[in-house]
Structures are given as structure tokens and as C-alpha cells.
Amino acid sequence: MNVLIVKLSTLGDVVHAMPAAQDILHAFPGALVDWVVEPDFAPLVRRCAGLHRVIECDLKRWRETVFTADTRNAWRAFSSDLQYECYDAVLDLQGISKSSLVAKMARLGADGLRYTLANQTEGVAFEAPTRWIADVAVPVESHLHAVDQSRVMCARSLVYALPENVSFGLLAHADKARRATKTIVNQFFDVGHVEANPIVAFLHGSTRADKSWPEAHWLELGHRLNDLGYTVAFAHGNDDEQWRSESIANRLNQAVVWPRMALGALTDALGECVGVIGVDNGTSQIATALDLPLVKIYNFDTVWRTGPQNRDHQLSVFADPTPSVNAVWNAWMQASALAALRDSAH
């Protein structure tokens, strides 16, 4: 069976769709599963175990430069790549105009079908005309976790029972990450001292200011972790996040600000951490997929849609207007303790 997944963006949504790909591979051993995604997220999808091909689609840039020769050449190359295989099923997991266009362009086998969402789910973008472009519109419950939305749609489209366990299949390159992490921290500390310290990553950045956690809270949390012997690492994706990272790190005893990294390198770096504390952002979803001890901080009651699922060592903390340091600290102590128990049992 040849299957094409169309999930172009965003970072969190792409990570949320990874378990659906793993479900298909589990249900149909030997299936060839391809994935169309925007270039920014392609390095991450390429780390998803078992995928056959990852096809990059840069519609966002092409729309802005539609009349240039480079764009025309890139579009032709993309079309050729997309239509290289015949698909038995094309699964549009996004349900918006750009994803339906890509799904429509894909080449079907003799009995192949295109599937998409039949209805909107809470908190997710959806454009109703996409259900008329596809061959089959698949209804899903309106109140679903983001991971379950893709899993349920794929299972109903291809008619298989959902596996009991959720697997993201996301792989970190541990050896490469270890070398990179040592190089980074050795710029700041004595080698022997840092190598003895486990690293907890702070993922404080968000495209939405109302998802942020106060800087003073991050600072106090960092001091508590330092007192327990942890080094705190700060990730950032833009200049404002870097400035905030440096501002907090400079006031801690053991802290390092990572250089800005592409998603593949960031995944490797997170894979070398003993845990992650972050707000509700796409990078925290990577930590979820890596099965790291994790605490996610919520200022809104949307844990049901994007929070960690059924994992004792991955917790969410919600409060209005924002969780306290004690609440996040207690969650971290619980998550790290349960992770240690899990690891010792194995």
C-alpha cells in the first residue's frame, strides 16, 4: 500500500500528526508512507521512523514570487516529485485550501481515494470546501485532542483499529547531540563540572504573548534547579527570545543559552536533556514526542487539546492568569521522579 500524508504546517500540528503515520505503518507492515510538508518542518519529519519519502512544498514562498523563473522551476520539480508515486490513499490531515490543492495534485492508483476531514474540530482551522474536493470526507468528533484528530481520521479512512499505545516515532541523533551539547556548554563552564550536571531545557518562547510565563518565574525556577545540581539550557527562535534567554541565564549560577538551531539540531539537543519545562508551543511538542520528562505551562484551559496524553512523566499545569512557580516546581519534581522510576524498571 502506498499512502500520502498531507500535513504542511505548523510545527505543533506536524508533530501531532506523527502518531497517525506510526499507526498506519503498524496496521499495514510494508506500507510506503510519504509526507508532504513545508521546508521549515521537513528536517523534523525526516526523523519520523519508517517514512518512505518526505516531499517539501513551499507554497508560502511560491505565492510571494509566483512570476519568477526560480519559482516556476521549483513548482515543476515539486509537481514531478509529488506525482512520482501512485497512491492508494491520500490523507489530507489539515483540511484547508492549500492542503487540498496538494492532495488534488497527487497521483492516485486505479482504486485510490483522497480523504479529508468532514467537519471542524474545536480550536483547529478548517475550510469547509475542502470536503467537497476530496473523494471521502471523514467525520470526527468535535472535541478531540490534536493527536487523536489525525489518528482517528486515518484509522477511519483506511479501516484499522487504533493501537493502544501512542508512538511518535521521532528519533534524536544522540551521539551528534552529545558532541554539540558539550561544545556549547564548554564555552561557558569548566568541562569537568558541566559534564557532571544534567541539563533541563527551558522552552519559554511563543508567537503569542498571552502564552508566556513571567520572567521572574523562570528565574526562580532556574535557581531551584541550580540548587539541585541541574544546568539550565535556554532555546530560542528569534531575537526577542534570545534576549530574554540571556537576561535570565546571566542571573543563574549554571545556565547556557543555546545558539539558534534548525529543528533537526534542536531535536538532537533536547534528546540529550534530562527533561524540559516549557509553555504551550511547538518546541514543547517535540519534547513530548521524544518522551522526555516534561512540564507544560498553560495560561488557558486548552490542556485537553495539546497537553501530554497518558504519560505519568509528562504533566501539564494550568492556572488563570498563570501557574505559580510552586505549581510548576511540584509538577517537575513529580515528572522527574516518575521518569526515574520508569527508567530503573527497564
Side-chain angles (χ1 to χ4, degrees), residues 183-196:
T183 299
I184 293 166
V185 298
N186 288 345
Q187 297 174 14
F188 295 85
F189 307 116
D190 174 74
V191 175
H193 184 55
V194 171
E195 287 185 343

Side-chain angles (χ1 to χ4, degrees), residues 276-279 293-297 313-317 328 331-332 335:
V276 170
I277 301 172
V279 297
L294 169 68
V295 176
K296 286 189 68 176
I297 300 167
H313 60 287
Q314 295 188 335
L315 303 174
S316 300
V317 181
V328 174
W332 165 254

Side-chain angles (χ1 to χ4, degrees), residues 1-3 86-90 107-113 115 158:
M1 173 181 283
N2 288 353
V3 178
C86 277
Y87 294 104
D88 301 297
V90 176
R107 189 159 60 100
L108 293 178
D111 298 317
L113 294 170
Y115 302 84
L158 303 183

Side-chain angles (χ1 to χ4, degrees), residues 142-159:
S142 63
H143 190 80
L144 272 181
H145 191 281
V147 168
D148 291 335
Q149 178 189 13
S150 294
R151 296 187 74 209
V152 167
M153 181 192 149
C154 290
R156 290 177 180 171
S157 299
L158 303 183
V159 192

Side-chain angles (χ1 to χ4, degrees), residues 81-93:
D81 200 15
L82 179 63
Q83 295 170 6
Y84 179 78
E85 301 277 3
C86 277
Y87 294 104
D88 301 297
V90 176
L91 301 162
D92 174 7
L93 302 186

Side-chain angles (χ1 to χ4, degrees), residues 57-71:
C57 177
D58 203 359
L59 282 176
K60 186 189 302 184
R61 182 175 65 85
W62 294 338
R63 282 198 302 263
E64 297 171 353
T65 58
V66 66
F67 298 113
T68 66
D70 285 347
T71 294

Side-chain angles (χ1 to χ4, degrees), residues 263-296:
L263 286 177
L266 179 58
T267 301
D268 291 338
L270 290 174
E272 277 299 291
C273 295
V274 297
V276 170
I277 301 172
V279 297
D280 180 25
N281 59 26
T283 316
S284 292
Q285 300 301 344
I286 296 176
T288 302
L290 290 173
D291 203 28
L292 295 169
L294 169 68
V295 176
K296 286 189 68 176

Side-chain angles (χ1 to χ4, degrees), residues 23-79:
D23 290 347
I24 294 169
L25 292 166
H26 180 269
F28 303 100
L32 298 181
V33 179
D34 295 347
W35 188 321
V36 185
V37 68
E38 291 182 0
D40 286 348
F41 313 116
L44 193 66
V45 177
R46 288 194 175 94
R47 293 163 182 265
C48 193
L51 293 183
H52 177 228
R53 293 191 307 150
V54 177
I55 304 167
E56 297 186 20
C57 177
D58 203 359
L59 282 176
K60 186 189 302 184
R61 182 175 65 85
W62 294 338
R63 282 198 302 263
E64 297 171 353
T65 58
V66 66
F67 298 113
T68 66
D70 285 347
T71 294
R72 290 195 297 271
N73 291 335
W75 177 259
R76 282 193 292 267
F78 164 69
S79 300

